[in-house]
Amino acid sequence: MASGTRTWSAATEAALYGPGGFYRRPEGPAGHFRTSVHASALYAGAVAELLRRVDEALGHPAELAFTDVGAGRGELLTGVLGQLPADVAARVRPYAVERADRPAGLDARITWVGDIPDGTEGLLFANEWLDNVPVDVAETDAEGVARQVLVQEDGEELLGEPVAGEDAAWLARWWPVEGAPPGTRAEIGRPRDAAW
């Protein structure tokens, strides 16, 4: 790999989660765009109903976990807590799984963690989480060979070595590009599979 270059996943990791990264900025994603979580209380209401049904299916455990993976600034957890029936809300243990720092003023009932907690019983919710798992990108060269896309410090891209090993096997199975016209791109989703 040329000096000053990095893989697409390393560049994405730095841009999203590194110091000053997009998801670590004080304004959070809601400062730039809206998702279903931000657009309407109806979404939180639907998730609250799902959690209520999970509670019923589990026989109303003494502690009901509601784990939001990729919790942003805790907006969904806050919305769901506000829409649960009192008897369910009293037993809910909300977990925000997020790499950004805990936002100021967040409901004290919400436990802020970096990883999915072990040994909980309840609902694990991962709204749009897999979209934010950094992956590498491949692009076909003039001969149709899938090569790893590298990113320079200034953001310019260049083609690296041919994709090999487990990444090549993943591409062949899930997003075949070998022999495709030059410039054909594919995301190598193996890290998303592993995260899932």
Side-chain angles (χ1 to χ4, degrees):
M1 187 179 313
S3 176
T5 63
R6 53 190 166 178
T7 63
W8 186 273
S9 61
T12 303
E13 175 75 26
L16 295 179
Y17 305 110
F22 181 75
Y23 287 107
R24 292 187 178 265
R25 293 183 191 154
E27 73 275 14
H32 299 275
F33 58 84
R34 292 183 344 152
T35 67
S36 53
V37 172
H38 307 114
S40 169
L42 294 173
Y43 190 74
V47 176
E49 174 60 20
L50 176 61
L51 182 57
R52 192 196 61 71
R53 291 180 186 190
V54 168
D55 179 48
E56 187 174 317
L58 293 174
H60 311 287
E63 183 175 284
L64 177 67
F66 175 42
T67 304
D68 184 11
V69 181
R73 297 302 182 267
E75 299 96 338
L76 180 61
L77 288 161
T78 300
V80 168
L81 287 171
Q83 295 197 39
L84 287 173
D87 64 312
V88 178
R91 291 181 290 106
V92 166
R93 176 76 186 270
Y95 294 94
V97 180
E98 181 56 63
R99 294 174 69 177
D101 294 333
R102 181 187 181 94
L106 186 67
D107 189 317
R109 295 176 291 176
I110 298 172
T111 301
W112 199 264
V113 294
D115 292 306
I116 296 169
D118 289 328
T120 62
E121 182 178 33
L123 176 62
L124 176 73
F125 202 78
N127 188 56
E128 301 176 18
W129 165 62
L130 289 175
D131 297 345
N132 298 314
V133 173
V135 297
D136 284 322
V137 173
E139 182 178 316
T140 53
D141 64 14
E143 287 76 42
V145 174
R147 293 184 172 274
Q148 189 172 50
V149 176
L150 302 176
V151 182
Q152 299 178 105
E153 290 297 321
D154 63 2
E156 290 295 316
E157 297 176 345
L158 58 99
L159 296 184
E161 295 297 317
V163 176
E166 292 179 338
D167 287 342
W170 190 95
L171 279 178
R173 180 172 181 187
W174 299 108
W175 200 331
V177 293
E178 282 294 326
T184 300
R185 285 188 160 208
E187 292 181 353
I188 304 170
R190 202 168 57 80
R192 289 184 185 135
D193 292 351
W196 177 255

